[in-house]
Amino acid sequence: MPTPITAYQKIYSVVSLIPEGRVATYGQVARLAGMPGHARLVGYALSSLHDQVPVPWHRVVNARGQISPRSGGSPADVVQRLRLESEGVSFDGHGRIPLGRFQWQPRQGEQ
């Protein structure tokens, strides 16, 4: 396993490729970053970002197409939904994003 800083940099590089109006799952980002099975690490990496970093963290959701709830009363889940909706991503009545429609599918060589 790479050091956390190197791993986080790989994760940020992948997340930076997700286009506006598309989402990726934590597991998908982990696989594309060369760390299959480390979806939780993706969550840790994204939660460590501060507001000034231009990584589109809001485009990463869980495997069910839902925004993962935050601990500690953070408003980040509300911010995430608003940012996604402003990019044209829609949610169903259960708060899920239809992944068949909005999940990013990188082309060969894009990741």
Side-chain angles (χ1 to χ4, degrees), residues 16-96:
S16 294
L17 295 173
I18 305 169
E20 186 174 315
R22 296 286 178 209
V23 297
T25 66
Y26 292 101
Q28 178 184 5
V29 171
R31 280 190 309 279
L32 291 170
M35 296 174 278
H38 292 280
R40 195 168 294 217
L41 182 63
V42 173
Y44 294 146
L46 296 179
S47 70
S48 75
L49 289 171
H50 54 81
D51 291 336
Q52 305 306 316
V53 178
V55 176
W57 59 269
H58 62 282
R59 296 181 186 146
V60 183
V61 297
N62 69 30
R64 293 182 303 273
Q66 296 174 306
I67 292 172
S68 294
R70 306 308 198 281
S71 61
S74 169
D77 51 344
V78 174
V79 171
Q80 184 174 10
R81 182 173 178 136
L82 291 172
R83 285 185 180 184
L84 288 170
E85 288 177 333
S86 75
E87 293 181 358
V89 176
S90 62
F91 293 78
D92 68 15
H94 300 285
R96 291 183 303 243

